Structure formats: structure tokens, C-alpha cells
Amino acid sequence: MSETSKGKVVVNRSMSLDGFIAGPGDAMGWIFDSLGSSEDAVAEIAAETGAMLVGRRTYEVGKRMAAEDPIRDDYPFPGPSFLLTHRPPEPPDPGVTVLTGDIGAAVATALEAAGGKNLEILGADVAGQALRRKLVDEILVYVIPVLLGDGVRFSAPGLGRVDLEPISSRRSGAVTVLRFRVRK
């Protein structure tokens, strides 16, 4: 299920050294403060990406951040975006395709739309659902040199053990980029 025409299902995470992907109140500005020094790595990964699948909270945080700083171009990604939610946004967002079904169907739909490139999954809940169902091929982590102390953890309680195989690690600016294959 996870690979179609070479495309992989990749959970993409920026994470503080103490394991948080968002700070208190879903704060994520700290990520972009450091990722600016890693533009080459970010552009390379964006070029491998054909579609994105996000959850409602990640979507809302992204909208809030864009409203606060509309000039920022955080991720050079031109492909289709999918929002997995039971509460479609009002008014509808013409730049996002809303999916309301099962995680397996959502991943299949978005992976097909990726056109042979990778499907990138953002958001703690959607990524957890995909990992539980063994739909994820790789996990990509940008480790940001900061300790947040609190916030949204990398994985939600109840995920269970997921064995990973290191593929690569490299430094890009102040950020360490780690890539793991998910053992199935």
C-alpha cells in the first residue's frame, strides 16, 4: 500500500531536542527561526514531495501563522494539499482538498495525487494514525537546537513501538536532519 510509482509516505517533523513538534499553545515559530539556516535541505525535500496530507490542527496553525506573517514563504511546495478532518473549514479553502474518511483511503488518495513523488504527512494525529496502520515508509526529522520543555510531543501516547532503521543524518545550518525507514 505504501509505495506507488516510487513515491513514499513520509512523516515530516521538525522537533526540539526534548521531543516536541510544537510548543505550548501550538507555537511553531521557533521552527522557522532555525530552518532558515537549512534552506538547501528544505528545498531538496520539498522537491521530492508531490503532495501533502495534514490534520485539522496543523492546518489551523498554518493558517494562523500565515495570517500573522503573510510574507513568509516557509516551504517551497507547489503540489496538492489534502486536509483529513471531520470538520471541513468554513468557508471552504480552494487550495486544499478535504478528505473525511479513513486514514488508509486518505493516504491512498493523496499518494496517487503525488504523481510518483513522496506524500508528506504533517500533524501529530494524522501521522500517528498512519503509523498505527503501518502506512508510513519513512520518518524525516529536523532536530532543532532548542529545548521547549512542554508542548505537542513527537508521538501521541498509545502509538506503541515502531522500529526504525537509520537511513541518513546530516547537518544543515544549525539543524540536524535525520531520515529513518520504518520497519514493517
Side-chain angles (χ1 to χ4, degrees):
M1 160 69 210
S2 59
E3 289 195 330
T4 302
S5 304
K6 297 184 184 178
K8 293 178 263 182
V9 177
V10 179
V11 169
N12 186 329
R13 291 276 200 270
S14 293
M15 180 180 76
S16 66
L17 190 57
D18 54 350
F20 295 100
I21 60 172
D26 294 324
M28 294 179 67
W30 58 275
I31 293 170
F32 303 104
D33 296 341
S34 292
L35 280 183
S37 68
S38 303
E39 290 178 19
D40 291 343
V42 171
E44 177 183 315
I45 291 160
E48 297 171 354
T49 302
M52 283 193 188
L53 177 63
V54 303
R56 182 64 188 250
R57 185 166 72 186
T58 301
Y59 170 80
E60 292 295 337
V61 170
K63 280 187 61 168
R64 182 184 75 214
M65 290 176 65
E68 292 169 359
D69 188 2
I71 296 172
R72 180 182 282 180
D73 184 12
D74 297 328
Y75 200 58
F77 169 73
S81 294
F82 296 87
L83 168 62
L84 181 60
T85 183
H86 297 292
R87 297 177 299 115
E90 283 296 328
D93 183 338
V96 175
T97 300
V98 175
L99 304 173
T100 59
D102 168 78
I103 186 66
V107 167
T109 297
L111 186 58
E112 181 161 330
K117 290 187 170 186
N118 293 343
L119 167 61
E120 191 169 293
I121 295 180
L122 302 174
D125 185 54
V126 172
Q129 289 178 55
L131 283 163
R132 276 186 211 88
R133 291 275 298 276
K134 301 189 183 320
L135 301 171
V136 177
D137 298 302
E138 292 181 6
I139 297 176
L140 174 67
V141 183
Y142 298 91
V143 180
I144 311 289
V146 64
L147 299 172
L148 295 178
D150 196 9
V152 178
R153 290 231 164 255
F154 180 90
S155 64
L159 175 62
R161 179 177 169 155
V162 177
D163 291 320
L164 307 173
E165 176 185 334
I167 296 173
S168 66
S169 64
R170 68 179 185 184
R171 182 127 176 242
S172 181
V175 176
T176 302
V177 182
L178 305 173
R179 190 180 288 261
F180 300 92
R181 183 172 295 111
V182 176
R183 292 186 180 158
K184 297 182 181 181

